[in-house]
Amino acid sequence: SQQGEEDPQALSIQEGENATMNCSYKTSINNLQWYRQNSGRGLVHLILIRSNEREKHSGRLRVTLDTSKKSSSLLITASRAADTASYFCATVPSSGGYQKVTFGTGTKLQVIP
Amino acid sequence: DAGITQSPRYKITETGRQVTLMCHQTWSHSYMFWYRQDLGHGLRLIYYSAAADITDKGEVPDGYVVSRSKTENFPLTLESATRSQTSVYFCASSGTSGGALYFGPGTRLLVL
């Protein structure tokens, strides 16, 4: 079964606006990662946040993590047309093997120029 | 070119045939993974490997076999392909336990 569930499933915004995607997961984690997938391509790692971190920034990306609610959010500020892609969260479990990295179903983001 | 490659990129086969998907990485990463991606399911982990000769099952291993005789290669075999195995298959590698995954370009498999 999927560990992570993203919300919303799809999001359409105007260029320059901010985009927020949410991820909820079920079990205890070591870390949570966000990936981007452009149509028909492999996933690209964006950012990793550890279970003892609450917020992390990378360029226009801001990720928050709330382990008490088992949820994370990805904020893309000042969106660009090139940000159009699907975004996935992935969880690394805190026990049972760090290699069992499981992905959510993704949020499809469309940024309209 | 350095990186992670998959072959073939596209494959059409028939039900019951054996198919092997290849994955090769040049980073000497210890960890390698196979995922399948289907609409509505996101990515699901099929098998993973922590090192040469060490493999383990993921979420959906039935009908698949893996091997890892060399660190750089991690082939995935469908022993007797079924239509439900029509999917896009992604190989990934990681240099650190629990760290970022680096994905290949994917193999689109159609089972008729």
Side-chain angles (χ1 to χ4, degrees), chain A residues 1-3 30-31 33 35 37 39-45 48 50 88 92 96-106, chain B residues 9 31 33 35 37 40-45 48-50 56-59 90 97-106 108:
Chain A
S1 61
Q2 299 296 137
Q3 161 74 316
N30 174 274
N31 69 71
Q33 303 171 24
Y35 290 79
Q37 183 181 35
S39 182
R41 300 197 167 195
L43 281 74
V44 174
H45 181 261
L48 180 155
R50 303 193 184 284
F88 295 86
V92 175
Y98 289 165
Q99 286 71 54
K100 285 193 173 179
V101 184
T102 54
F103 285 76
T105 50
Chain B
R9 294 293 313 280
Y31 306 98
F33 308 79
Y35 289 88
Q37 185 175 30
H41 289 279
L43 282 87
R44 290 181 290 175
L45 181 62
Y48 60 94
S49 169
D56 208 346
K57 296 177 181 179
E59 304 167 86
F90 287 100
S97 180
L101 272 62
Y102 296 87
F103 280 81
R108 291 183 179 273

Side-chain angles (χ1 to χ4, degrees), chain B residues 69-89:
Chain B
S69 57
K70 292 183 177 181
T71 300
E72 61 267 30
N73 297 325
F74 191 36
L76 176 74
T77 297
L78 288 66
E79 294 185 294
S80 177
T82 65
R83 290 194 183 90
S84 65
Q85 292 177 309
T86 291
S87 186
V88 181
Y89 291 85

Side-chain angles (χ1 to χ4, degrees), chain A residues 59-70:
Chain A
R60 294 184 296 113
L61 305 180
R62 181 175 81 103
V63 170
T64 61
L65 179 64
D66 186 335
T67 53
S68 66
K69 294 181 179 178
K70 291 187 168 59

